[in-house]
Amino acid sequence: FEAALQEHQPFMAKGGAAGLSLGQAFGLGLQLGDGGGSVQVSVARPAPASPSTSPLSASPHVAVFDGALEAQRHVPMQLIDVLALSADPGEFDGDPVTALAAAASASALRKAHPEPLYACQLPLAGAGAVMTPLRRALAEGARDCLPSWAPVAVAAATAALEGNPESSVNAWVCLGGSRRQVSANCEEERVQDEELQTRTETHYDGYHNVMCVFEGRKTVELWPPETADLTRTAVCWSHHAQCRDYRCPKAAVTYVLEVGDAAFWPEGWWHRVTSAPGTRAVNVWLL
């Protein structure tokens, strides 16, 4: 990892990242009477049709999250609501009261917001985070789960917890949702409940990234900063390529991150991330 950091190259390691229980965090929020503050959960749009034959190409089972602010649509909710939507029944340490409270909250939220939702880049500490007891507890838990091979990420998470705006700890949760289907004659609309993958569009960030997966799976496709097919499509000073996903060149590096896996990619590297339904992850940005 240290060599990759110095050479501005991506790196991945299997295992090493510990688990993070969102059910326990939900219970803590109830005990503290702390909803964690308001967050903006993104509504993913359907993946566009394309001629690509890639397994990650457009699909009725994939929803796309566009990181460009002008293209986003959001649903406001409390951080504790995200925990209710994403916590598994087995994460409540045998506490049926807390489990029932989470299930009731999740049911009400799903009725109000059936769309495919992606809780992306939820600030827990550092840049963009309004610190509350629940957020602090989650950020501390995330820091303690970081792999030992990335001490610089642990140090950055600690700095974020101490209020340093030059680092940040963020949560990423693929919440799935319902897909609406309309018949060819537009006379019938059918709502199909299914778990949808979520995919970011190809973009780059201006900071180093350490990503840890605690549940589910993320497929990370990476291209070097100088990739001409992407660079030439980006508007000046834009972090997002304007080319359609199916026109992207073959990735230079592809990582499949499963439970306990972690990866690093440097600032400026183009990336596209596909998250399986129910995927939970935490990242630390090193500014």
Side-chain angles (χ1 to χ4, degrees):
F1 168 70
E2 295 297 333
L5 186 62
Q6 292 296 323
E7 296 171 9
H8 212 73
Q9 295 294 314
F11 175 85
M12 176 203 170
K14 301 291 289 184
L20 182 65
S21 172
L22 299 189
Q24 291 179 18
F26 178 86
L28 177 63
L30 290 184
Q31 292 173 20
L32 296 173
D34 176 23
S38 180
V39 296
Q40 296 290 328
V41 176
S42 297
V43 179
R45 59 181 172 80
S50 82
S52 173
T53 57
S54 163
L56 296 178
S57 64
S59 162
H61 304 291
V62 175
V64 175
F65 166 71
D66 188 339
L69 290 176
E70 64 274 11
Q72 293 181 23
R73 186 162 65 89
H74 294 106
V75 171
M77 60 179 67
Q78 292 287 300
L79 178 59
I80 198 170
D81 294 333
V82 176
L83 301 179
L85 282 168
S86 56
D88 291 330
E91 291 186 294
F92 294 96
D93 289 338
D95 181 353
V97 175
T98 302
L100 285 172
S105 178
S107 178
L109 287 164
R110 269 295 171 216
K111 287 180 180 178
H113 307 293
E115 313 98 321
L117 299 176
Y118 187 27
C120 67
Q121 196 178 319
L122 300 186
L124 301 180
V130 178
M131 193 61 69
T132 71
L134 180 56
R135 287 197 197 214
R136 174 170 290 279
L138 280 168
E140 289 175 346
R143 178 194 58 189
D144 294 343
C145 292
L146 293 171
S148 59
W149 53 257
V152 65
V154 177
T158 299
L161 279 160
E162 294 172 350
N164 187 337
E166 294 188 351
S167 299
S168 63
V169 181
N170 306 281
W172 307 74
V173 186
C174 184
L175 298 172
S178 298
R179 177 166 58 92
R180 293 185 179 273
Q181 292 183 324
V182 183
S183 63
N185 60 12
C186 298
E187 293 179 353
E188 179 184 356
E189 181 179 61
R190 179 167 63 92
V191 177
Q192 179 176 339
D193 290 318
E194 63 176 330
E195 293 297 314
L196 296 172
Q197 296 183 80
T198 304
R199 186 177 68 218
T200 63
E201 291 201 329
T202 306
H203 67 288
Y204 70 90
D205 302 313
Y207 19 75
H208 296 327
N209 191 351
V210 174
M211 176 73 73
C212 304
V213 172
F214 301 130
E215 187 70 31
R217 182 182 65 258
K218 281 184 177 288
T219 301
V220 183
E221 299 169 278
L222 294 161
W223 296 263
E226 65 273 15
T227 304
D229 287 344
L230 298 176
T231 302
R232 71 165 59 101
T233 70
V235 178
C236 188
W237 304 114
S238 171
H239 285 202
H240 295 85
Q242 302 301 306
C243 68
R244 276 286 185 76
D245 276 350
Y246 60 80
R247 293 185 183 136
C248 285
K250 182 179 179 180
V253 179
T254 299
Y255 293 142
V256 178
L257 305 180
E258 298 180 309
V259 178
D261 298 344
F264 160 79
W265 56 91
E267 62 174 319
W269 274 68
W270 296 96
H271 53 283
R272 177 172 62 190
V273 183
T274 302
S275 300
T279 295
R280 311 175 198 168
V282 167
N283 87 300
V284 177
W285 274 325
L286 319 176
L287 304 183

